[in-house]
Amino acid sequence: MPYAHTMAMGIIAVHGGLDTSREKQYIKILQEAALQGHELLSKNRIQALEAVLQVLEESPRFNCGYGSVLNFNGIVEMDAAIIDGTSSRFAAVAAIQDVHHPISVARALMEKTKDVILAGDGAIKFARKHGFPTANCVSEEQLDAWQKARESLARGEKPTQNLYTGLAYHGDTVGCVVWDGEGLAAASSTGGYSLKPPGRVGDTPSLGGGIFASRTSAVVCTGLGEAFIETLTSKYVDEAIAAGSVPEQAIKSALKRLHAQKGAEGGILAVDCRGRVGSAFNAGQFPVVVVVDGKILEDYQPVNLRRELSVH
Ligand code: GLY
C-alpha cells in the first residue's frame, strides 16, 4: 500500500540504483544518507538532497561518485542533476570528471548561475572556478573490473560483467526525492553504464526523462537511460499523479509503458504533494529507504513487477 503522510514534518525517500544489492551494508548506507538528509530537511530541501547524495557518492558501493563505472577508455564520466519542484529551478552536470561530488557542482550551477546544464570540460572548469578540487573517482574495484572487461573484448568475448557496474554485483544511478511539507525536490547521480562511449550522457540530467519535480510530485528513475529519455518517463509519472493517480499506481503504469515501448527494465521512486511515496521496479533488485518524520519505515518495500514485465 502507498504510504500516506499526515504530519508536516517531511519525507525523504532514497534508492541505491537498479539491481544494486539489498544486503545489509548497502541498506545501512542508504539509511545513514536518508537520516543525514532528514536533519537538514526543515532548513532547506535542496541542502537535504545534496547531503543524501554526497553520502552515496562517497561510497564505492554505489554507481556514482567514487563508485562510478568506467567508460570504454577507462575514464569515469559522471552525470548528476537536482531540481526544485516549487521554483522549477533545475541544474545538471554531464560527463564531468575528477570531482568528488558531482551533485554539489550541479547545486552550485543551480544557485550561482542561470545556466541549466554544463557538460564535459565546461563542467570541470566551472567546478574548479567554484572551489571543487580535483578528486580521484576511480576505485580499485572498478579499475580491476574495467581491465577484465577490456581483456574479454580483446579476446573477442563479450564481457560477463554487469552493464551498470562491470562487477559481479549490479547497480545503477542513485536518486532521492523529498517533501518538506511545503515543497518537493529531486536529485540523482550516476556513473552511467559500464564501457559506455566517451561523452555519452544518460537520463540523469535529462529533465522529464530520468528526473522531474513540480508542485505535484518529485520523481527519479534508474535503469538504462536511453529508454527513459525517449519515453519521457519521469514527466509521464508526474502527469499521471496530476491526473489523480497515487504515486505507486502512476509508477506501475509508467513501467508498463516503458516495457511496452522499449522492452526496458527500470526502477522509479516518487513522492507527491500529499506526502505519498511510491516505488516499483522490473529487474532483480531495487533498494529503497523511506524516512518519515525522522524515522525509517523498516517494512517499506518497492513493488516488484519483474514477473509481469520480464525483459529477459
Ligand atoms: N541511468 C543511468 C544512465 O543510463 O546513465
Side-chain angles (χ1 to χ4, degrees):
M1 284 294 288
Y3 179 81
H5 183 68
T6 48
M7 290 162 63
M9 286 174 67
I11 294 178
I12 292 205
V14 57
H15 74 79
L18 195 66
D19 277 351
T20 297
S21 169
R22 291 199 69 259
E23 283 168 32
K24 240 188 194 162
Q25 60 266 41
Y26 292 82
I27 296 295
K28 199 164 164 267
I29 298 169
L30 290 172
Q31 290 177 339
E32 276 167 22
L35 289 172
Q36 282 194 29
H38 193 270
E39 291 286 303
L40 297 163
L41 193 55
S42 58
K43 274 194 230 154
N44 182 326
R45 55 183 172 261
I46 295 299
Q47 206 179 331
L49 278 172
E50 182 187 18
V52 173
L53 278 266
Q54 280 186 344
V55 172
L56 305 183
E57 287 177 341
E58 263 159 38
S59 167
R61 294 187 194 279
F62 297 92
N63 180 6
C64 60
Y66 184 61
S68 292
V69 297
L70 277 55
N71 73 11
F72 190 81
N73 290 348
I75 308 284
V76 163
E77 289 187 330
M78 302 165 285
D79 302 337
I82 193 158
I83 175 165
D84 181 63
T86 302
S87 63
S88 71
R89 276 295 284 141
F90 168 77
V93 289
I96 192 168
Q97 298 177 19
D98 304 329
V99 290
H100 200 193
H101 290 303
I103 194 64
S104 302
V105 184
R107 182 183 173 195
L109 184 67
M110 183 164 90
E111 293 184 347
K112 294 181 200 287
T113 79
K114 287 200 162 56
D115 297 319
V116 169
I117 304 177
L118 280 183
D121 283 349
I124 299 168
K125 281 198 185 105
F126 172 86
R128 302 291 175 253
K129 187 174 160 197
H130 290 273
F132 297 94
T134 304
N136 170 40
C137 300
V138 181
S139 70
E140 271 180 40
E141 198 176 7
Q142 288 296 352
L143 183 60
D144 184 54
W146 175 80
Q147 277 162 346
K148 288 196 175 112
R150 287 297 302 257
E151 282 161 19
S152 301
L153 288 173
R155 289 194 299 270
E157 296 163 11
K158 202 173 167 215
T160 52
Q161 291 94 338
N162 176 260
L163 179 72
Y164 302 131
T165 69
L167 303 177
Y169 62 81
H170 300 183
D172 186 45
T173 309
V174 302
C176 182
V177 291
V178 300
W179 180 72
D180 62 6
E182 289 186 0
L184 297 146
S188 285
S189 185
T190 191
Y193 73 84
S194 179
L195 301 179
K196 66 186 181 181
R200 179 265 186 188
V201 173
D203 60 318
T204 297
S206 164
L207 186 61
I211 186 166
F212 196 74
S214 67
R215 289 175 188 271
T216 302
S217 78
V219 186
V220 285
C221 305
T222 173
L224 195 57
E226 283 69 10
F228 288 92
I229 296 170
E230 289 181 342
T231 55
L232 290 176
T233 288
S234 58
K235 179 74 172 124
Y236 172 88
V237 171
D238 180 72
E239 282 173 1
I241 295 170
S245 293
V246 297
E248 185 179 296
Q249 194 185 346
I251 288 168
K252 281 157 99 176
S253 160
L255 283 173
K256 282 180 193 159
R257 178 175 168 269
L258 184 81
H259 184 257
Q261 291 186 10
K262 296 287 166 187
E265 56 187 20
I268 306 175
L269 169 65
V271 61
D272 75 0
C273 57
R274 290 166 64 186
R276 299 175 301 187
V277 175
S279 62
F281 66 110
N282 65 331
Q285 316 238 29
F286 184 44
V288 174
V289 164
V290 179
V291 166
V292 177
D293 301 342
K295 290 201 177 57
I296 294 163
L297 295 190
E298 296 287 353
D299 57 352
Y300 185 86
Q301 294 288 346
V303 177
N304 185 346
L305 296 175
R306 189 177 204 185
R307 220 173 269 174
E308 199 181 324
L309 305 177
S310 164
V311 169
H312 304 291

